[in-house]
Amino acid sequence: MKCGWFWGAVCFVLWSFSAQALTDTDYLPANTQYNADIPRPSHVLGAPVGEWHVRHDQLVEYMRILADKSDRVSLRETGRSHENRPLLLLTFSAAKNLQNIENIRQTHLSSFGQKSQSADPLILWMGYSVHGDESSGANAALLVAYYLAAAQGEAVEQLLENNVVLMEPSINPDGLSRFAQWANGNRGQQLVADPNHREHQQPWPSGRTNHYMFDLNRDWLLLTHPESQARIAEFHRWRPHVLTDFHEMGTNSSYFFQPGIASRNNPWTPTRNIELTAELAKFHAAALDESKQLYFTQEAYDDFYYGKGSTYPDAQGSIGILFEQASSRGHKQESIHGVLSFADTIQNQVTTSLSTFRGAQANKAALLAYPAEFTKQTNELRKDDKIVGYLLSESKDATRFSDLKSILQQHQIQFNYLEKEVSIDELTYQPLNSIFVPLNQPQYRLIKSLFSERKSFNDNSFYDVSSWNLPLAFNIQYSPVERKLWRKVPVANEQNSQLQKHTTLADENAYAYGFSWADSKAPALLNQLLSAGVQVKIAGSDFAATTDQGNISFSAGSVLIPMALEQPDNLLSLLNKSAAQTNIKVWPILSGLTAQGIDIGSREMHLVKAPQVLLVGGQGTSQYEAGEAWHYLDTVVGMPVTITDLPRLSQLDLSRYTHIVWVSGDYSDVPEKTVRTLEKWLSAGGVMIGQRTAAKWFADKDWLKASFLSQDEIKRAFSVTGLAYADKDQLAAKQRIAGAIFDTQLDTSHPLTFGLPREHLPSFKNSTVVMRVPKTPFVTVGRYSSTSLMSGYAADELQELINNSASIVAHSVGKGKVIAFVDDPNFRGYWRGTRRLLSNAIFLSGLINAQG
């Protein structure tokens, strides 16, 4: 069946549930001839696209065949996922262009932001399925790739003759593969549209996330994962004019394309970007009108957060566009609009992929001109800015500071080192541990977003987080530098002193060895030693010890390896190897008698054993928070963590575990028998660590001696007098915290705070969980300050409730310990300043000695 198409583009063919699956070309423009030497997707898959969910290995196989068979296609493996799946970027253009593609790329990159020529190519980036269970995108990529590689005729030849199309066919290979296996494994010969069918009810974790259960569409800015790091590197290698981001949404919706909600655009995004997005939207609308599809724009989705696929380009002089297709979440599913098939969802993604090409070509002059307009306006904003840059410093944690600088570098943000000491706002910045980030550079807009402390917004409803302040997330000291002060910042092009590589000097006469707990890699070093059987103690107080370089100060939390204890024969080689891997200085200590503070044999030197950690996950718990905790402990600390599904908890012998980590979840159905088992384990010496709603559950069970505000109490803080029906959504937006940064004041004498550099710790909050400060002394580790909001949006009513409330509480229960975090210390793997709280809760919990 063929039908007419607006401008001769894609023909939409209605899926018939009683008929055979669509053939590959049924999805594509009518009356188009294809090169017979180029295999169709079905020839490789063994079935038409849409009959089964494509696995990532099948997708890779087909794309490699296309690159081999077609002279219009080249393929580049840009990296590997956590599960070692290849990350692909395909380049489509005319054969003569591909032969000269590197020169084309470099010419485009060098002229980006300058006046363009009409003959310059457009660079169009097509990105599919960053969420693995939104698989219509990756399946559509098969068809779009085939069209670009094999279609013949004026339309496709003109596109490729004069432009370059880049394609990421699957941005999340691990999630895509997980979901394809589930959907295909539960598909019968007779397709079942009932939403209650197993096929449409994914197990925990869903295919949305990557291996470590992270949402990769929030990681463009954060760069926690290899998928994102590879993508950003390629983005900056190409700087596309247009970048598309194909998603799915709820089954009962229709189809969305940007522009989004006008009042929620990022304030640093130019108006011209939105205008060009709207021009391209006309082509998507025309294409979907032709096929009589329902769609909407300018609602539900926004362009505020620069860390998503459709918004990161907006800070770079590119046009990012989000597409959202109602999801069949399987092969077909009932919806309020009738039965929705997988083929339906693929068809719409193909349709808007091709309308993107058509719209971009029709607006080519404007798209080519836009980067120069963007650059000119950026320069004007920069010149009017009273701030010329930011000073940043971290003297105690070289790893955390190095990680921050790595993020800046990956985003092409330039920074300088200092030539000499600088004092700004009563803060001192030393050359060896400070940098200056100037605003006089192309990434001005992104920098302003990364350093934003904005608290007031025209529209306070946020689809995602309202603040991503980079130095606050990393707990890095920083100061904005005003124009009148910039001459006080002497900078150098290169760092005048390389970071010292630390090794341990073999000293058979050493009484002990010790290292500081301040560096972010200290937990990894400690874990390596404990795993190797080294006997280790943790200092409960400060001291100064005698070394071969004089007296060295050690803060509370420092790690000691006394030679008086039985140690492995290869201890020195272990120390040398581990210290080299972590770049942490391990000091030989020459005497047990210290120059100041506690002695090496003090009762305040606490023996620590290798922990055995159990992480509770599974259905009913937050896959995101579980993944974040697992990712930190696994990839940073190097600790093997046992993850169990919540329903299996009752079957486990808990005696083999020292710590149980609980993330947000619904624990109301935990059997009473399991609760009693947990209580016995806790009283016998176990350590319970809970965050957010898990902490509330601890209080409900009376393990945690603290209380929380109820949701009714929170809602009563908001006046509803005089509100109309139209105010309902606005009130709901005020009653939630999408994500903002709050100041936590720490008790720096408490073991859970050891290694943290300052009394004040910026914390990320994206819930309305509020814990009252317990009346019992010594158990409150952290509390929000009296004016706690630092950046982002929170309604005044919520700020009043949060101010002076407790953020961290810890105390003994029998021989055990219970530790409660009101917030998620590992949020998206980005909140580097607070994630140490989790490793402290694991390694330093033995030092806690306060009854609740």
Coordinates of all heavy atoms in Angstrom, one line a residue, residues 657-659 678-688 813-817 845:
Y657 N 27.0 -10.2 56.5 CA 27.1 -8.8 56.1 C 27.3 -7.9 57.3 O 26.7 -8.1 58.3 CB 25.8 -8.4 55.3 CG 25.5 -9.3 54.1 CD1 24.5 -10.2 54.2 CD2 26.4 -9.3 53.0 CE1 24.2 -11.0 53.1 CE2 26.1 -10.1 51.9 CZ 25.0 -11.0 52.0 OH 24.8 -11.8 51.0
T658 N 28.2 -6.9 57.1 CA 28.4 -5.9 58.1 C 27.6 -4.7 58.0 O 27.3 -4.0 59.0 CB 29.9 -5.5 58.1 OG1 30.2 -4.9 56.8 CG2 30.8 -6.7 58.4
H659 N 27.2 -4.3 56.7 CA 26.5 -3.1 56.5 C 25.3 -3.4 55.4 O 25.5 -4.2 54.5 CB 27.3 -2.0 55.8 CG 28.5 -1.6 56.7 ND1 29.5 -2.4 57.0 CD2 28.7 -0.4 57.3 CE1 30.4 -1.7 57.8 NE2 29.9 -0.5 58.0
L678 N 15.9 -8.2 60.9 CA 16.8 -7.1 60.7 C 17.1 -6.4 62.1 O 18.2 -6.0 62.3 CB 16.1 -6.0 59.8 CG 16.0 -6.4 58.3 CD1 15.1 -5.5 57.6 CD2 17.4 -6.3 57.7
E679 N 16.1 -6.4 63.0 CA 16.3 -5.8 64.3 C 17.4 -6.6 65.1 O 18.2 -6.0 65.7 CB 15.0 -5.7 65.0 CG 14.0 -4.7 64.5 CD 12.7 -4.8 65.2 OE1 12.4 -5.8 65.9 OE2 11.9 -3.8 65.0
K680 N 17.3 -7.9 65.0 CA 18.3 -8.7 65.7 C 19.7 -8.5 65.1 O 20.7 -8.4 65.8 CB 17.9 -10.2 65.6 CG 16.7 -10.5 66.4 CD 16.3 -12.0 66.2 CE 15.0 -12.4 67.0 NZ 14.7 -13.8 66.8
W681 N 19.8 -8.4 63.8 CA 21.0 -8.2 63.1 C 21.6 -6.9 63.5 O 22.8 -6.7 63.8 CB 20.8 -8.3 61.6 CG 22.0 -8.0 60.8 CD1 23.1 -8.8 60.4 CD2 22.3 -6.7 60.2 NE1 24.0 -8.1 59.6 CE2 23.5 -6.8 59.5 CE3 21.6 -5.5 60.2 CZ2 24.1 -5.7 58.8 CZ3 22.2 -4.4 59.5 CH2 23.4 -4.5 58.8
L682 N 20.8 -5.8 63.6 CA 21.2 -4.5 63.9 C 21.7 -4.5 65.4 O 22.8 -4.0 65.6 CB 20.0 -3.5 63.7 CG 20.2 -2.1 64.1 CD1 21.3 -1.4 63.3 CD2 18.9 -1.3 64.0
S683 N 21.0 -5.0 66.3 CA 21.3 -5.0 67.7 C 22.6 -5.8 67.9 O 23.4 -5.5 68.9 CB 20.2 -5.5 68.6 OG 19.1 -4.7 68.5
A684 N 22.9 -6.8 67.1 CA 24.1 -7.6 67.2 C 25.3 -7.0 66.7 O 26.4 -7.5 66.9 CB 23.8 -9.0 66.6
G685 N 25.2 -5.8 66.0 CA 26.4 -5.1 65.5 C 26.3 -4.7 64.1 O 27.3 -4.2 63.6
G686 N 25.2 -5.0 63.4 CA 25.1 -4.5 62.0 C 25.0 -3.0 61.9 O 24.6 -2.3 62.8
V687 N 25.2 -2.5 60.7 CA 25.1 -1.1 60.4 C 24.1 -0.9 59.3 O 24.2 -1.4 58.2 CB 26.5 -0.5 59.9 CG1 26.3 1.0 59.7 CG2 27.5 -0.7 61.0
M688 N 23.0 -0.1 59.6 CA 22.0 0.2 58.7 C 22.2 1.6 58.1 O 22.3 2.5 58.9 CB 20.6 0.1 59.3 CG 20.3 -1.3 59.9 SD 19.5 -2.3 58.6 CE 17.8 -1.9 59.0
V813 N 22.5 1.5 68.1 CA 21.3 0.7 68.5 C 21.9 -0.6 69.0 O 22.3 -1.5 68.2 CB 20.4 0.5 67.3 CG1 19.2 -0.4 67.7 CG2 19.9 1.8 66.7
G814 N 21.9 -0.8 70.3 CA 22.6 -2.0 70.8 C 24.0 -1.9 70.4 O 24.7 -0.9 70.6
K815 N 24.5 -3.0 69.8 CA 25.9 -3.0 69.3 C 26.0 -2.5 67.9 O 27.1 -2.3 67.4 CB 26.5 -4.4 69.4 CG 26.6 -5.0 70.8 CD 27.2 -6.4 70.8 CE 27.3 -7.0 72.2 NZ 27.9 -8.4 72.1
G816 N 24.9 -2.2 67.3 CA 24.9 -1.8 65.9 C 24.8 -0.3 65.8 O 24.8 0.5 66.7
K817 N 24.7 0.2 64.5 CA 24.6 1.6 64.2 C 23.5 1.8 63.1 O 23.3 1.0 62.3 CB 25.9 2.1 63.7 CG 27.2 1.8 64.5 CD 27.2 2.5 65.8 CE 28.5 2.4 66.5 NZ 29.0 1.0 66.7
S845 N 32.0 3.8 60.5 CA 30.8 3.6 61.4 C 31.2 3.0 62.7 O 30.5 3.3 63.7 CB 29.8 2.7 60.7 OG 30.4 1.4 60.3

